[in-house]
Amino acid sequence: MTGTPAAQQPMLDVRELVRHYAQAGQAAVKAVDGVSFQIARGETLALVGESGCGKSTLARMIMALDKPTSGSVLLEGVDLSALSRNRLNRLRKKFQIIFQDPYSSLNPRMTVHETLAEPLVLHQIVPASEIPARVSRLLSCVGLTSAQAQRYPHEFSGGQRQRVGIARALACEPELIVCDEPVSALDVSVRAQVLNLLQDLQEEFGFSYLFISHDLSVVRHISHRVAVMYLGRLVEIGATEAVFMHPKHPYTRALLSAIPIPDPNIPPSRISLRGELQSTGASLAGCSFAPRCTNADDRCTAIAPVLENAGPNSRIACHHWRNLAAFDRGISQEQREPPAYVAAILARMSQEAAKTP
Amino acid sequence: MTQAEANPLLRVTRLRTSIATDMGRMVVISDVSFEVGAGRTLCIVGESGCGKSITSLSIMRLLPKPQGRIEAGHVSFLGRDLTALSEREMRQVRGRDISIVFQEPMTALNPVFTIGSQLTEALLAHERCGTAQARARALGALREVGIPDPESRLDAYPHQLSGGQRQRVVIAMALLCRPKLLIADEPTTALDVTVQAQILELFRQLRNSHGMGLILITHDLGVVAEMADDVIVMYAGRVVEAGPVASIFNRPQHPYTIGLLGSLPKVSERQGRLPIVPGTVPNLMALPEGCGFHPRCPLAQRRCAVDLPLLNAVHGDHRAACWLAPLD
Amino acid sequence: MTQQSVAVAAPRSARTTPRALQRLLKDKIALVMLILLVLIILGAIFAPLLTSFDPYRTSLRNRNVPPGALHLFGTDEQGRDLLARVLFGIRLTLASGFISLFLGGIVGTAIGVCAAYYKRADNILMRAMDTVLSFPAILLGLAIAGISGPGTWSVILALAISTVPPIARVARSSALSVVNQDYLVAARALGLGDPTILRRYVLRNCAPSILVYVTLRFGQVILLGASLSFLGLGAPPPAAELGTMVSQGRALLFTAPHVALVPCFAIFIIVLILNVLGDAARDIFDPKIQQ
């Protein structure tokens, strides 16, 4: 929030993070297996992957809710795992989290005011006398009114609850917000409202977001960079534009080819994968994607590829990315400009929506 | 649509369903009409609470009892009115002629029985065949939905399968008796995109090879664009727009559809702000007079707040329930 | 620990109360039972005003008088008015039931909630509860009476100890469902300390299900208390205690059946009312039935 771009230090620096879960009588589950990335100030990094790829475990470790087996999470250069419990709790105001399910992320027995005042009191953000004023400011920030402060969560719709959850995350003036599938439980029209809100807030306060999602169109919309995760490892990370238009890793391509595009003029073009998603339990010597990859050869099953630079701001973990044919999902054919009458109606809707919060 | 009119598999006419609540009876869908032809796919689109699931439950007569009730309208399946059948006759229709697949695959399977016994049980209930024959057909069904190593899967319990495999088992069960119509209510919402792609592909194959009719209920407009022949858009318990998929996506004729499509982020480019629909979905107990969408509609006129617009043809098969249609 | 546990008895939050009241008003049987219970409690509290007879004054001329106009419920073998004795007995029974439930509830809730929240303590705490549970309450009562002598407080202690494990189990299972909710993760992510999280998040959300269980348990506790007194572990004979009265009347079951039957019937009515109310409370507060 200082607004000085001079700081070269990344907001978040994740270094070789590993989380193994011991299993009785079996090999440990490698939920996260050596993940490194950085997030700059004011940047949104999206983390994409399918269920069981380790996204949520990674998020928990970044939030210091789970201890890594090895590796470290640095927030503005401070190693979170090296802090005492007290110092960590004091530092927690700098990084907050927004959850997927608006129905389980708010305490049903606390009013909105209680929920929002709690972090203010805890981290002594404002003096006690200013708390009601700050709560109403937070509410207006997320498009709710201060009259709604005395209500309980069950009196709100899913979208409104999600706004309260966002306001709670904002309350302690964080610098990094982890968004764990923040819109996937919401209806289409509400989703757009919440996405706009997240973007506006970033513009206003300069937050960094770690945006975890499986919805690629949302990721495309909100993120500056994308990291693709498969079975506990990053397979591709790069600028959003590059990853969407010229995906290099076979898994990224398969994932992109699988999203249905809301435009009947674009025919589906699927890259089929072999077999089923394995669990993270089976530890492989080689590339974790090799069993499902149509390009895999002996080298892939023997040696695990590491993330290597594949152009400016782009890294790929694949032995063969140079040799793969160009891939086009047909995304670029998506109808960009709606008919004039549609555009006019949409513009009027957005105008009306801006008038009445 | 022309094909469907000639030989409609299912014709729903002016269906109206209500549910009893603490605050009295609430009409959850009204005046819902549509047709599905053999080998065609109809997608029902709308946001939560718009009545799309209630529509499918009404067709199957699986409304919660005793709260749910069909108030008016007909559901004609190959000329037979399903609303007039006895519960026993209806049981014969379910599973054999029409099958339904729900969103959550775990609840549709009984955790204490093996996959094989649940599949054969469904077969034995509807058809005369021996146990060995039923087992062979169950095996065939699992193979058809692309389950790897189906022989061993027959003796597996539901919890031993992954989410995608469970959903495929549920679909295999639904398809066992070769239904003429499959209703799939958010079948892929709980699944990952790559698994979703496989299941949609399976639906497409079955539709083409068996001429099965498909009603796909979803909120994912991407799935709609990919799968649908025809689309109906529901809002607050009513059909607000209906027509062929290309026409709906390319030239939508109801302001709600326009808002819905417009608020989707595009995969092709990073937009600034997304267009949004003002206001919120109305409470079904306190629907506004006139058009249900008028309080949120930027084009609303005085008439919209007084008279309810009916579904009228705009271009060919494309119909919209808006006083201002055609909008272009 | 005490600080957390007090909240168990705290009123349900404003969120459920109006709807709970509405539901209660709809459940006619429960409503009637509730009114009856209130009347009985009032009767027990104001017993001295309702009857002019002293429950302890013997009158050898009026021994074993059957129910009639003067002595509404008759008199016992020492000529004491049974109505007065039953009213005083209910007072003692309800009070000891309530106190033991309250004590057992506080300890049980604290143990159950801690077991759910601190995963490491879970095994030790719950195995300890299993051990306590494996002693029948009657045996427990006999042991306590053996150590400290028979008396009301022995009964209360035995009842309290025997209610701890089941309440701990209910508290643990309901706390476990809260512990996995996102709002608890959010609370930890805010940096809140354990006492605050336990009090404001876990206890507040578990309170309804624990309260419902406590209500359901009340009838059993009364019955158990009466059994212990019947066995002679409760307050010694002159005291008006329902179980003791039944025990004394047992000898006269054929000559003056009302002496044993009147307190029996009082126990029966109270336990029935509490059971019906417990069921009603479950229906009212069950989150599954609430939409």
Side-chain angles (χ1 to χ4, degrees):
Chain A
M1 255 168 265
T2 45
T4 47
Q8 284 293 312
Q9 202 169 45
M11 185 67 232
L12 179 75
D13 191 354
V14 174
R15 290 185 187 166
E16 285 301 321
L17 213 52
V18 175
R19 182 70 171 98
H20 291 183
Y21 290 103
Q23 272 182 318
Q26 286 176 38
V29 173
K30 297 177 176 178
V32 175
D33 197 15
V35 169
S36 307
F37 59 83
Q38 298 182 337
I39 303 180
R41 259 170 212 288
E43 186 190 39
T44 304
L45 174 74
L47 192 60
V48 185
E50 296 181 278
S51 45
C53 74
K55 304 177 283 195
S56 303
T57 311
L58 188 59
R60 287 178 64 85
M61 286 192 287
I62 291 171
M63 289 305 297
L65 296 167
D66 193 357
K67 280 222 182 307
T69 308
S70 69
S72 50
V73 177
L74 278 70
L75 191 82
E76 292 184 302
V78 181
D79 188 346
L80 294 184
S81 54
L83 295 178
S84 74
R85 208 182 147 134
N86 264 340
R87 284 201 50 206
L88 175 65
N89 275 349
R90 255 176 285 143
L91 198 68
R92 281 190 184 278
K93 67 175 180 184
K94 289 199 171 184
F95 53 106
Q96 282 299 307
I97 182 164
I98 300 170
F99 295 92
Q100 168 176 12
D101 179 6
Y103 291 87
S104 81
S105 60
L106 299 175
N107 186 347
R109 299 198 172 262
M110 279 166 72
T111 61
V112 169
H113 179 89
E114 284 177 277
T115 299
L116 297 184
E118 189 169 62
L120 298 177
V121 175
L122 183 72
H123 292 291
Q124 296 166 349
I125 307 289
V126 291
S129 58
E130 287 172 31
I131 283 177
R134 176 56 71 93
V135 167
S136 8
R137 227 190 82 198
L138 283 168
L139 285 172
S140 72
C141 256
V142 297
L144 297 169
T145 63
S146 44
Q148 292 164 313
Q150 293 311 323
R151 299 204 192 150
Y152 285 90
H154 77 276
E155 298 172 68
F156 293 95
S157 69
Q160 286 174 319
R161 287 183 205 211
Q162 200 61 311
R163 286 165 189 270
V164 176
I166 294 173
R168 173 180 56 196
L170 296 182
C172 36
E173 302 175 347
E175 291 167 39
L176 170 75
I177 299 184
V178 174
C179 307
D180 190 358
E181 305 263 7
V183 294
S184 52
L186 303 177
D187 269 323
V188 178
S189 65
V190 183
R191 180 182 305 183
Q193 296 171 3
V194 172
L195 285 174
N196 282 347
L197 174 65
L198 288 172
Q199 278 188 313
D200 292 349
L201 291 171
Q202 186 173 46
E203 249 165 58
E204 195 177 340
F205 301 109
F207 299 132
S208 307
Y209 287 135
L210 175 66
F211 197 95
I212 299 173
S213 181
H214 67 270
D215 186 332
L216 293 166
S217 56
V218 168
V219 166
R220 165 75 172 165
H221 178 71
I222 201 153
S223 65
H224 302 107
R225 285 195 304 142
V226 180
V228 183
M229 210 170 161
Y230 186 79
L231 291 185
R233 295 179 190 164
L234 288 188
V235 295
E236 178 160 4
I237 179 166
T240 307
E241 175 77 17
V243 172
F244 274 74
M245 288 305 169
H246 312 288
K248 296 193 179 78
H249 195 281
Y251 177 64
T252 315
R253 294 176 168 203
L255 204 59
L256 269 172
S257 80
I259 34 166
I261 297 179
D263 185 341
N265 310 319
I266 303 177
S269 66
R270 291 281 145 74
I271 298 175
S272 50
L273 295 175
R274 295 189 291 164
E276 288 273 327
L277 183 71
Q278 319 92 313
S279 70
T280 37
S283 80
L284 297 161
C287 172
S288 52
F289 187 60
R292 305 193 67 194
C293 182
T294 43
N295 305 304
D297 58 13
D298 293 347
R299 194 172 155 213
C300 299
T301 49
I303 308 162
V306 288
L307 275 177
E308 55 180 293
N309 283 330
N313 206 359
S314 160
R315 288 188 296 155
I316 314 287
C318 176
H319 294 306
H320 298 297
W321 68 268
R322 286 184 190 83
N323 314 327
L324 298 179
F327 169 80
D328 183 13
R329 167 68 175 94
I331 289 170
S332 48
Q333 298 160 32
E334 192 184 16
Q335 182 195 5
R336 287 174 189 230
E337 290 308 317
Y341 76 97
V342 170
I345 291 173
L346 286 175
R348 283 183 65 179
M349 276 188 181
S350 294
Q351 259 173 24
E352 303 253 327
K355 264 187 275 170
T356 49
Chain B
M1 210 63 159
T2 43
Q3 205 185 337
E5 268 157 32
N7 178 24
L9 198 56
L10 181 84
R11 173 177 280 151
V12 174
T13 341
R14 314 205 63 168
L15 193 64
R16 180 184 165 90
T17 300
S18 71
I19 303 263
T21 68
D22 278 355
M23 277 94 67
R25 254 188 190 278
M26 176 167 84
V27 176
V28 279
I29 55 171
S30 55
D31 224 0
V32 171
S33 305
F34 57 85
E35 285 173 5
V36 188
R40 307 276 294 175
T41 301
L42 173 85
C43 282
I44 306 183
V45 186
E47 298 182 276
S48 31
C50 72
K52 50 191 197 301
S53 292
I54 292 289
T55 307
S56 68
L57 293 177
S58 303
I59 295 170
M60 293 297 274
R61 300 237 323 251
L62 288 172
L63 290 167
K65 279 177 190 170
Q67 299 95 328
R69 194 164 72 200
I70 295 178
E71 300 271 343
H74 301 283
V75 177
S76 156
F77 179 74
L78 291 173
R80 241 169 133 199
D81 189 355
L82 297 185
T83 58
L85 295 187
S86 72
E87 186 50 40
R88 217 179 125 181
E89 290 169 313
M90 195 60 215
R91 262 205 299 276
Q92 284 299 308
V93 172
R94 278 183 220 133
R96 200 188 58 195
D97 294 327
I98 311 180
S99 279
I100 187 160
V101 176
F102 294 104
Q103 174 177 346
E104 184 42 61
M106 201 54 204
T107 51
L109 294 171
N110 189 333
V112 299
F113 291 107
T114 61
I115 302 297
S117 72
Q118 296 188 54
L119 283 168
T120 47
E121 186 191 33
L123 260 179
L124 295 173
H126 285 293
E127 286 172 37
R128 278 165 196 274
C129 61
T131 330
Q133 200 189 344
R135 198 174 157 86
R137 277 186 63 183
L139 200 63
L142 287 185
R143 199 167 283 136
E144 190 179 59
V145 295
I147 291 210
D149 192 12
E151 285 87 355
S152 71
R153 288 302 177 209
L154 268 185
D155 298 317
Y157 287 90
H159 69 90
Q160 293 169 312
L161 305 181
S162 69
Q165 288 192 348
R166 278 201 288 264
Q167 189 62 300
R168 275 188 242 188
V169 169
V170 172
I171 292 168
M173 203 184 281
L175 298 173
L176 211 48
C177 301
R178 292 270 167 269
K180 300 182 181 71
L181 177 69
L182 177 69
I183 303 177
D185 189 349
E186 304 270 7
T188 56
T189 306
L191 305 177
D192 280 320
V193 273
T194 53
V195 183
Q196 163 174 290
Q198 289 166 344
I199 290 199
L200 293 182
E201 183 56 38
L202 173 68
F203 280 159
R204 214 175 287 131
Q205 279 170 16
L206 290 167
R207 187 184 62 189
N208 297 341
S209 59
H210 302 120
M212 181 182 75
L214 178 62
I215 298 180
L216 195 59
I217 295 170
T218 180
H219 68 275
D220 185 336
L221 292 158
V223 172
V224 175
E226 190 169 299
M227 296 293 292
D229 296 307
D230 304 298
V231 179
I232 64 176
V233 183
M234 290 187 71
Y235 182 79
R238 285 175 177 275
V239 178
V240 293
E241 185 161 4
V245 63
S247 181
I248 296 255
F249 275 78
N250 293 337
R251 302 199 80 76
Q253 295 298 330
H254 193 283
Y256 175 65
T257 316
I258 290 176
L260 207 58
L261 289 169
S263 57
L264 284 178
K266 291 202 180 349
V267 203
S268 56
E269 60 181 339
R270 186 184 160 100
Q271 293 141 288
R273 289 174 60 86
L274 292 168
I276 51 177
V277 187
T280 50
V281 177
N283 179 352
L284 286 174
M285 288 300 271
L287 277 183
E289 283 283 305
C291 170
F293 189 64
H294 89 260
R296 306 175 69 186
C297 181
L299 309 177
Q301 299 174 347
R302 203 187 296 149
R303 185 182 187 190
C304 301
V306 183
D307 296 327
L308 182 72
L310 297 177
L311 214 51
N312 274 319
V314 185
H315 303 299
D317 291 333
H318 194 155
R319 293 171 299 154
C322 177
W323 290 120
L324 300 160
L327 296 172
D328 49 347
Chain C
M1 210 74 110
T2 43
Q3 199 190 5
Q4 299 154 18
S5 315
V6 171
V8 178
R12 299 150 207 108
S13 77
R15 158 187 135 80
T16 41
T17 313
R19 190 182 288 170
L21 213 68
Q22 276 175 17
R23 281 166 188 266
L24 184 66
L25 289 177
K26 269 190 193 162
D27 191 345
K28 291 285 177 324
I29 298 173
L31 195 63
V32 170
M33 291 295 175
L34 186 68
I35 293 169
L36 267 178
L37 183 68
V38 170
L39 286 179
I40 289 175
I41 291 175
L42 287 178
I45 293 172
F46 298 110
L49 303 178
L50 289 178
T51 169
S52 52
F53 292 103
D54 180 338
Y56 297 107
R57 200 165 130 204
T58 56
S59 161
L60 293 178
R61 265 181 300 160
N62 297 322
R63 286 164 59 177
N64 298 336
V65 175
L70 181 61
H71 297 286
L72 214 52
F73 288 173
T75 62
D76 66 4
E77 80 286 354
Q78 300 191 35
R80 295 172 295 203
D81 180 60
L82 271 177
L83 175 65
R85 280 182 73 75
V86 161
L87 284 176
F88 278 85
I90 289 174
R91 193 191 232 187
L92 196 63
T93 303
L94 282 179
S96 58
F98 184 80
I99 292 171
S100 52
L101 256 187
F102 186 73
L103 293 176
I106 287 177
V107 177
T109 303
I111 291 176
V113 165
C114 287
Y117 189 73
Y118 300 104
K119 298 262 173 346
R120 273 186 221 155
D122 191 12
N123 237 326
I124 299 170
L125 286 175
M126 293 326 282
R127 291 306 78 77
M129 289 297 99
D130 289 347
T131 315
V132 177
L133 204 61
S134 62
F135 290 106
I138 302 268
L139 201 66
L140 215 61
L142 283 170
I144 291 167
I147 296 164
S148 59
T152 312
W153 283 104
S154 298
V155 171
I156 288 177
L157 191 61
L159 292 179
I161 292 176
S162 71
T163 42
V164 168
I167 288 179
R169 282 186 172 180
V170 169
R172 176 176 173 269
S173 71
S174 109
L176 273 181
S177 65
V178 175
V179 166
N180 293 326
Q181 297 284 328
D182 284 344
Y183 56 78
L184 210 91
V185 181
R188 287 179 56 205
L190 276 180
L192 286 172
D194 285 354
T196 317
I197 292 182
L198 282 171
R199 196 176 67 241
R200 213 177 280 164
Y201 287 77
V202 183
L203 264 183
R204 267 206 216 178
N205 283 290
C206 297
S209 46
I210 296 172
L211 276 172
V212 166
Y213 184 75
V214 165
T215 329
L216 275 169
R217 186 82 197 174
F218 206 170
Q220 282 167 279
V221 166
I222 299 277
L223 210 52
L224 199 59
S227 319
L228 289 175
S229 323
F230 180 83
L231 291 177
L233 306 174
E241 212 289 326
L242 294 179
T244 319
M245 286 162 66
V246 177
S247 166
Q248 285 177 293
R250 198 173 48 145
L252 310 163
L253 207 53
F254 295 102
T255 47
H258 68 273
V259 179
L261 287 184
V262 165
C264 262
F265 197 65
I267 295 172
F268 164 71
I269 292 285
I270 291 175
V271 173
L272 179 71
I273 289 175
L274 290 173
N275 283 348
V276 171
L277 281 179
D279 271 344
R282 188 181 50 202
D283 292 349
I284 289 166
F285 291 109
D286 190 337
K288 277 183 206 134
I289 297 172
Q290 263 180 43
Q291 34 157 300

